Short mmCIF file of all heavy atoms in Angstrom, two decimals:
data_model
loop_
_atom_site.label_atom_id
_atom_site.label_comp_id
_atom_site.label_asym_id
_atom_site.label_seq_id
_atom_site.Cartn_x
_atom_site.Cartn_y
_atom_site.Cartn_z
N HIS A 161 17.63 28.85 -7.13
CA HIS A 161 17.92 28.72 -8.55
C HIS A 161 17.50 30.00 -9.29
O HIS A 161 16.45 30.03 -9.92
CB HIS A 161 17.17 27.54 -9.20
CG HIS A 161 17.57 26.19 -8.69
ND1 HIS A 161 16.99 25.61 -7.59
CD2 HIS A 161 18.50 25.32 -9.14
CE1 HIS A 161 17.54 24.43 -7.39
NE2 HIS A 161 18.46 24.23 -8.30
N PRO A 162 18.27 31.07 -9.15
CA PRO A 162 17.90 32.29 -9.87
C PRO A 162 17.69 32.04 -11.35
O PRO A 162 18.38 31.22 -11.97
CB PRO A 162 19.10 33.23 -9.63
CG PRO A 162 19.76 32.69 -8.40
CD PRO A 162 19.54 31.22 -8.43
N ALA A 163 16.71 32.73 -11.91
CA ALA A 163 16.35 32.51 -13.31
C ALA A 163 17.53 32.92 -14.22
O ALA A 163 18.25 33.87 -13.97
CB ALA A 163 15.12 33.33 -13.66
N TRP A 164 17.66 32.14 -15.27
CA TRP A 164 18.62 32.47 -16.36
C TRP A 164 17.87 33.36 -17.32
O TRP A 164 16.76 33.01 -17.79
CB TRP A 164 19.04 31.17 -17.01
CG TRP A 164 20.04 31.28 -18.12
CD1 TRP A 164 20.86 32.34 -18.40
CD2 TRP A 164 20.32 30.30 -19.13
NE1 TRP A 164 21.63 32.09 -19.48
CE2 TRP A 164 21.33 30.85 -19.99
CE3 TRP A 164 19.83 29.03 -19.39
CZ2 TRP A 164 21.85 30.16 -21.06
CZ3 TRP A 164 20.33 28.34 -20.47
CH2 TRP A 164 21.32 28.90 -21.29
N PRO A 165 18.35 34.57 -17.64
CA PRO A 165 17.62 35.48 -18.53
C PRO A 165 17.13 34.80 -19.82
O PRO A 165 17.89 34.14 -20.52
CB PRO A 165 18.65 36.57 -18.82
CG PRO A 165 19.53 36.57 -17.64
CD PRO A 165 19.64 35.13 -17.21
N GLY A 166 15.86 34.97 -20.07
CA GLY A 166 15.26 34.38 -21.28
C GLY A 166 14.91 32.92 -21.15
O GLY A 166 14.49 32.31 -22.15
N HIS A 167 15.07 32.37 -19.96
CA HIS A 167 14.81 30.94 -19.77
C HIS A 167 13.93 30.73 -18.56
O HIS A 167 14.20 31.29 -17.50
CB HIS A 167 16.15 30.20 -19.59
CG HIS A 167 16.00 28.74 -19.36
ND1 HIS A 167 15.91 27.81 -20.38
CD2 HIS A 167 15.96 28.00 -18.22
CE1 HIS A 167 15.80 26.61 -19.87
NE2 HIS A 167 15.83 26.69 -18.56
N VAL A 168 12.88 29.95 -18.70
CA VAL A 168 12.00 29.63 -17.62
C VAL A 168 12.23 28.17 -17.19
O VAL A 168 12.15 27.26 -18.05
CB VAL A 168 10.51 29.83 -17.99
CG1 VAL A 168 9.59 29.42 -16.86
CG2 VAL A 168 10.28 31.29 -18.37
N SER A 169 12.55 27.95 -15.94
CA SER A 169 12.77 26.58 -15.47
C SER A 169 11.44 25.90 -15.14
O SER A 169 10.62 26.43 -14.43
CB SER A 169 13.63 26.58 -14.17
OG SER A 169 14.96 26.93 -14.46
N ASP A 170 11.28 24.71 -15.74
CA ASP A 170 10.14 23.82 -15.38
C ASP A 170 10.69 22.41 -15.43
O ASP A 170 10.50 21.71 -16.42
CB ASP A 170 8.96 24.04 -16.29
CG ASP A 170 7.72 23.29 -15.78
OD1 ASP A 170 7.86 22.39 -14.94
OD2 ASP A 170 6.59 23.63 -16.22
N ARG A 171 11.37 22.01 -14.39
CA ARG A 171 12.05 20.74 -14.38
C ARG A 171 11.08 19.57 -14.39
O ARG A 171 11.38 18.52 -15.00
CB ARG A 171 13.01 20.64 -13.20
CG ARG A 171 14.16 21.64 -13.31
CD ARG A 171 15.28 21.38 -12.31
NE ARG A 171 16.39 22.27 -12.58
CZ ARG A 171 17.60 22.14 -12.05
NH1 ARG A 171 17.83 21.15 -11.18
NH2 ARG A 171 18.57 22.98 -12.34
N LEU A 172 9.93 19.72 -13.78
CA LEU A 172 8.97 18.62 -13.74
C LEU A 172 8.44 18.37 -15.17
O LEU A 172 8.29 17.20 -15.61
CB LEU A 172 7.84 18.92 -12.80
CG LEU A 172 8.25 19.12 -11.34
CD1 LEU A 172 7.02 19.25 -10.46
CD2 LEU A 172 9.14 17.99 -10.82
N ALA A 173 8.17 19.45 -15.90
CA ALA A 173 7.70 19.28 -17.29
C ALA A 173 8.79 18.64 -18.13
O ALA A 173 8.52 17.77 -18.97
CB ALA A 173 7.30 20.63 -17.88
N MET A 174 10.04 19.04 -17.91
CA MET A 174 11.13 18.44 -18.68
C MET A 174 11.27 16.98 -18.37
O MET A 174 11.49 16.15 -19.27
CB MET A 174 12.45 19.18 -18.40
CG MET A 174 13.63 18.56 -19.18
SD MET A 174 15.16 19.46 -18.98
CE MET A 174 16.32 18.16 -19.42
N LEU A 175 11.14 16.58 -17.11
CA LEU A 175 11.23 15.16 -16.76
C LEU A 175 10.14 14.34 -17.46
O LEU A 175 10.39 13.20 -17.90
CB LEU A 175 11.13 14.99 -15.24
CG LEU A 175 12.35 15.47 -14.44
CD1 LEU A 175 12.01 15.52 -12.95
CD2 LEU A 175 13.55 14.57 -14.68
N ARG A 176 8.98 14.94 -17.59
CA ARG A 176 7.90 14.21 -18.29
C ARG A 176 8.20 14.09 -19.79
O ARG A 176 7.90 13.07 -20.41
CB ARG A 176 6.56 14.89 -18.04
CG ARG A 176 6.15 14.82 -16.56
CD ARG A 176 4.77 15.42 -16.27
NE ARG A 176 4.39 15.18 -14.89
CZ ARG A 176 4.46 16.13 -13.94
NH1 ARG A 176 4.86 17.36 -14.24
NH2 ARG A 176 4.11 15.85 -12.70
N ARG A 177 8.80 15.12 -20.34
CA ARG A 177 9.19 15.04 -21.76
C ARG A 177 10.29 14.00 -21.98
O ARG A 177 10.32 13.28 -22.98
CB ARG A 177 9.65 16.43 -22.27
CG ARG A 177 8.55 17.47 -22.32
CD ARG A 177 8.91 18.65 -23.17
NE ARG A 177 10.15 19.33 -22.77
CZ ARG A 177 10.22 20.27 -21.82
NH1 ARG A 177 9.12 20.63 -21.19
NH2 ARG A 177 11.37 20.83 -21.56
N VAL A 178 11.22 13.97 -21.05
CA VAL A 178 12.28 12.95 -21.10
C VAL A 178 11.70 11.55 -21.11
O VAL A 178 12.12 10.68 -21.88
CB VAL A 178 13.28 13.14 -19.92
CG1 VAL A 178 14.17 11.94 -19.72
CG2 VAL A 178 14.14 14.40 -20.15
N ARG A 179 10.71 11.33 -20.26
CA ARG A 179 10.03 10.01 -20.24
C ARG A 179 9.39 9.73 -21.58
O ARG A 179 9.49 8.61 -22.11
CB ARG A 179 8.95 10.02 -19.13
CG ARG A 179 8.03 8.83 -19.16
CD ARG A 179 8.63 7.60 -18.51
NE ARG A 179 8.66 7.75 -17.07
CZ ARG A 179 9.52 7.14 -16.26
NH1 ARG A 179 10.46 6.35 -16.78
NH2 ARG A 179 9.47 7.28 -14.94
N ALA A 180 8.72 10.71 -22.15
CA ALA A 180 8.04 10.50 -23.44
C ALA A 180 9.02 10.19 -24.55
O ALA A 180 8.65 9.47 -25.53
CB ALA A 180 7.22 11.75 -23.79
N LEU A 181 10.26 10.64 -24.45
CA LEU A 181 11.27 10.35 -25.46
C LEU A 181 11.86 8.95 -25.32
O LEU A 181 12.64 8.52 -26.17
CB LEU A 181 12.41 11.40 -25.41
CG LEU A 181 12.06 12.78 -25.92
CD1 LEU A 181 13.15 13.79 -25.53
CD2 LEU A 181 11.88 12.76 -27.43
N GLY A 182 11.51 8.25 -24.25
CA GLY A 182 11.97 6.88 -24.08
C GLY A 182 13.16 6.68 -23.17
O GLY A 182 13.68 5.56 -23.05
N TYR A 183 13.61 7.73 -22.51
CA TYR A 183 14.67 7.61 -21.52
C TYR A 183 14.14 6.96 -20.26
O TYR A 183 12.96 7.11 -19.89
CB TYR A 183 15.18 8.97 -21.10
CG TYR A 183 16.03 9.74 -22.07
CD1 TYR A 183 15.45 10.67 -22.94
CD2 TYR A 183 17.42 9.61 -22.07
CE1 TYR A 183 16.24 11.44 -23.81
CE2 TYR A 183 18.22 10.36 -22.92
CZ TYR A 183 17.62 11.27 -23.79
OH TYR A 183 18.39 12.03 -24.63
N GLU A 184 15.02 6.27 -19.50
CA GLU A 184 14.76 6.09 -18.09
C GLU A 184 15.02 7.44 -17.42
O GLU A 184 15.94 8.17 -17.80
CB GLU A 184 15.69 5.03 -17.50
CG GLU A 184 15.34 3.61 -17.90
CD GLU A 184 15.98 2.56 -17.04
OE1 GLU A 184 16.76 2.89 -16.12
OE2 GLU A 184 15.71 1.35 -17.26
N VAL A 185 14.20 7.74 -16.42
CA VAL A 185 14.16 9.08 -15.87
C VAL A 185 14.68 9.09 -14.44
O VAL A 185 14.21 8.32 -13.58
CB VAL A 185 12.73 9.65 -15.89
CG1 VAL A 185 12.69 11.07 -15.29
CG2 VAL A 185 12.20 9.68 -17.33
N GLY A 186 15.65 9.97 -14.17
CA GLY A 186 16.18 10.12 -12.83
C GLY A 186 16.01 11.54 -12.33
O GLY A 186 16.09 12.51 -13.10
N SER A 187 15.73 11.64 -11.06
CA SER A 187 15.63 12.94 -10.42
C SER A 187 15.97 12.78 -8.94
O SER A 187 16.47 11.73 -8.53
CB SER A 187 14.25 13.58 -10.60
OG SER A 187 14.28 14.97 -10.27
N GLY A 188 15.73 13.81 -8.15
CA GLY A 188 16.05 13.70 -6.75
C GLY A 188 16.00 15.04 -6.06
O GLY A 188 15.64 16.07 -6.66
N ALA A 189 16.40 15.02 -4.81
CA ALA A 189 16.28 16.22 -3.97
C ALA A 189 17.45 16.28 -3.01
O ALA A 189 18.06 15.28 -2.69
CB ALA A 189 14.97 16.20 -3.20
N MET A 190 17.77 17.50 -2.58
CA MET A 190 18.71 17.70 -1.51
C MET A 190 17.98 17.67 -0.18
O MET A 190 16.81 18.06 -0.08
CB MET A 190 19.43 19.04 -1.67
CG MET A 190 20.58 19.03 -2.63
SD MET A 190 21.56 20.54 -2.56
CE MET A 190 20.38 21.75 -3.16
N VAL A 191 18.68 17.21 0.82
CA VAL A 191 18.14 17.13 2.18
C VAL A 191 18.78 18.22 3.03
O VAL A 191 20.00 18.30 3.14
CB VAL A 191 18.40 15.75 2.81
CG1 VAL A 191 17.98 15.71 4.26
CG2 VAL A 191 17.74 14.65 2.00
N GLY A 192 17.93 19.06 3.61
CA GLY A 192 18.43 20.08 4.55
C GLY A 192 18.83 21.38 3.94
O GLY A 192 19.59 22.14 4.54
N ILE A 193 18.35 21.70 2.73
CA ILE A 193 18.61 23.01 2.15
C ILE A 193 18.07 24.05 3.12
O ILE A 193 16.95 23.94 3.62
CB ILE A 193 17.90 23.21 0.81
CG1 ILE A 193 18.11 22.02 -0.12
CG2 ILE A 193 18.30 24.50 0.14
CD1 ILE A 193 17.10 21.95 -1.25
N PRO A 194 18.82 25.10 3.43
CA PRO A 194 18.26 26.15 4.29
C PRO A 194 16.93 26.67 3.71
O PRO A 194 16.85 27.06 2.56
CB PRO A 194 19.34 27.23 4.25
CG PRO A 194 20.60 26.49 4.04
CD PRO A 194 20.24 25.37 3.09
N GLY A 195 15.90 26.62 4.56
CA GLY A 195 14.58 27.01 4.11
C GLY A 195 13.69 25.83 3.79
O GLY A 195 12.48 25.99 3.59
N GLN A 196 14.25 24.60 3.73
CA GLN A 196 13.45 23.39 3.45
C GLN A 196 12.83 22.89 4.77
O GLN A 196 13.57 22.56 5.71
CB GLN A 196 14.34 22.31 2.84
CG GLN A 196 13.62 21.02 2.53
CD GLN A 196 14.59 19.90 2.14
OE1 GLN A 196 15.50 19.59 2.91
NE2 GLN A 196 14.43 19.34 0.97
N THR A 197 11.52 22.82 4.83
CA THR A 197 10.85 22.34 6.02
C THR A 197 10.72 20.82 5.97
O THR A 197 10.90 20.19 4.91
CB THR A 197 9.47 22.95 6.19
OG1 THR A 197 8.62 22.50 5.11
CG2 THR A 197 9.52 24.50 6.16
N TRP A 198 10.36 20.25 7.09
CA TRP A 198 10.06 18.80 7.10
C TRP A 198 8.93 18.50 6.13
O TRP A 198 8.97 17.48 5.41
CB TRP A 198 9.64 18.38 8.51
CG TRP A 198 10.75 18.32 9.52
CD1 TRP A 198 11.00 19.26 10.49
CD2 TRP A 198 11.72 17.30 9.66
NE1 TRP A 198 12.11 18.87 11.23
CE2 TRP A 198 12.56 17.69 10.74
CE3 TRP A 198 11.99 16.11 8.99
CZ2 TRP A 198 13.63 16.89 11.17
CZ3 TRP A 198 13.07 15.32 9.41
CH2 TRP A 198 13.87 15.72 10.49
N ALA A 199 7.92 19.37 6.05
CA ALA A 199 6.81 19.17 5.13
C ALA A 199 7.29 19.22 3.69
O ALA A 199 6.81 18.45 2.83
CB ALA A 199 5.71 20.21 5.39
N ASP A 200 8.23 20.12 3.37
CA ASP A 200 8.78 20.18 2.03
C ASP A 200 9.47 18.87 1.68
O ASP A 200 9.28 18.35 0.57
CB ASP A 200 9.82 21.30 1.94
CG ASP A 200 9.23 22.70 2.02
OD1 ASP A 200 8.03 22.88 1.65
OD2 ASP A 200 9.97 23.61 2.43
N LEU A 201 10.27 18.35 2.58
CA LEU A 201 11.00 17.11 2.29
C LEU A 201 10.06 15.95 2.12
O LEU A 201 10.25 15.09 1.23
CB LEU A 201 12.01 16.84 3.43
CG LEU A 201 12.93 15.63 3.25
CD1 LEU A 201 13.68 15.69 1.92
CD2 LEU A 201 13.89 15.50 4.42
N ALA A 202 8.99 15.91 2.91
CA ALA A 202 7.97 14.87 2.73
C ALA A 202 7.34 14.97 1.36
O ALA A 202 7.11 13.96 0.66
CB ALA A 202 6.91 14.95 3.82
#
Side-chain angles (χ1 to χ4, degrees):
H161 295 88
W164 180 20
H167 179 85
V168 177
S169 288
D170 190 341
R171 294 192 173 192
L172 300 186
M174 179 175 158
L175 289 168
R176 294 184 175 102
R177 294 197 302 274
V178 165
R179 170 81 74 206
L181 287 168
Y183 287 93
E184 287 196 357
V185 180
S187 194
M190 278 190 293
V191 174
I193 312 163
Q196 179 190 56
T197 66
W198 288 102
D200 291 333
L201 184 54

